[in-house]
Amino acid sequence: SQQGEEDPQALSIQEGENATMNCSYKTSINNLQWYRQNSGRGLVHLILIRSNEREKHSGRLRVTLDTSKKSSSLLITASRAADTASYFCATDDPGGTSYGKLTFGQGTILTVHP
Amino acid sequence: GAVVSQHPSWVICKSGTSVKIECRSLDFQATTMFWYRQFPKQSLMLMATSNEGSKATYEQGVEKDKFLINHASLTLSTLTVTSAHPEDSSFYICSATHYNEQFFGPGTRLTVL
């Protein structure tokens, strides 16, 4: 089954606006991470939130985690054109034998218009 | 920070040939590396876990004889796509674990004609 489903699939906003992306997952986790991927490029790690944390901030990023609902959200405030990218959530596999194995959500394509 | 490189960054090959992709941890040792595949406008799907000195562990649905993984040293894992076909065209990304954090390579774009 697919872990980590995200919505919306695509989000188009104007510079200066806030962008909110949501991620849902199915199984228990130790942590959830958010990554950014510019078109055709590798992944950039944005933020990690542990299962015992509810909210975390990093610069213009705010991540929330609700383990009871198995969901997380990523908020980018005061968006910039340079924020245009795909954003993925990724969950770990606490029951697995390989530490570091991640399951990615489907991703949200964010377009910020100047 | 820890850096992971991949080589080549892109490759074009003819159908039926084999292609080798390298994943290197440049400034740290990684006993475990992971290989992901990403089709256009889709998410990353884990293909296999590469373990130094032992056989790779493949995810369900991934053909181990088609995607050969070798992790011969603590800084290098290779993925060989054997007898490549156009449907194997994809973006292949590796990651390596360092101090409980995953570091991703820049990816390799494979196009099979």
Side-chain angles (χ1 to χ4, degrees), chain A residues 2 6 33 35 37 39-43 45 48 88-89 98-107 109, chain B residues 32 34 36 38 41-46 49 51 59 91 93 95 97 100-102 104-107 109:
Chain A
Q2 179 65 43
E6 294 178 63
Q33 303 178 68
Y35 290 86
Q37 183 182 37
S39 181
R41 303 286 187 92
L43 296 177
H45 183 260
L48 179 150
F88 296 93
C89 67
S98 294
Y99 184 87
K101 179 177 169 180
L102 298 177
T103 301
F104 285 83
Q106 293 303 307
I109 300 172
Chain B
T32 302
F34 300 91
Y36 295 83
Q38 184 181 31
K41 298 190 184 302
Q42 293 189 25
S43 186
L44 284 77
M45 295 295 292
L46 180 66
T49 302
N51 303 298
E59 295 299 301
F91 194 54
I93 304 176
S95 72
T97 305
N100 296 340
E101 188 173 341
Q102 287 302 303
F104 285 83
R109 174 79 56 195

Side-chain angles (χ1 to χ4, degrees), chain A:
Chain A
S1 60
Q2 179 65 43
Q3 180 94 314
E5 298 179 1
E6 294 178 63
D7 76 271
Q9 291 186 342
L11 181 60
S12 182
I13 60 174
Q14 295 294 130
E15 229 174 10
E17 295 180 340
N18 295 342
T20 300
M21 291 159 264
N22 302 296
C23 166
S24 62
Y25 57 93
K26 293 185 174 68
T27 63
S28 62
I29 61 171
N30 287 325
N31 59 66
L32 183 145
Q33 303 178 68
W34 285 90
Y35 290 86
R36 185 183 78 191
Q37 183 182 37
N38 286 49
S39 181
R41 303 286 187 92
L43 296 177
V44 175
H45 183 260
L46 296 177
I47 198 165
L48 179 150
I49 186 165
R50 303 191 189 284
S51 59
N52 61 353
E53 297 176 309
R54 291 296 167 258
E55 188 172 311
K56 204 163 182 179
H57 297 254
S58 176
R60 293 185 295 114
L61 306 180
R62 173 177 166 251
V63 169
T64 63
L65 179 64
D66 187 335
T67 52
S68 66
K69 295 181 180 178
K70 291 186 169 59
S71 67
S72 173
S73 69
L74 170 67
L75 167 67
I76 304 175
T77 60
S79 64
R80 305 166 182 168
D83 295 328
T84 294
S86 293
Y87 291 82
F88 296 93
C89 67
T91 53
D92 69 334
D93 179 20
T97 56
S98 294
Y99 184 87
K101 179 177 169 180
L102 298 177
T103 301
F104 285 83
Q106 293 303 307
T108 295
I109 300 172
L110 173 65
T111 303
V112 182
H113 300 280

Side-chain angles (χ1 to χ4, degrees), chain B residues 44-57:
Chain B
L44 284 77
M45 295 295 292
L46 180 66
M47 299 175 66
T49 302
S50 174
N51 303 298
E52 188 269 336
S54 65
K55 291 183 179 181
T57 304

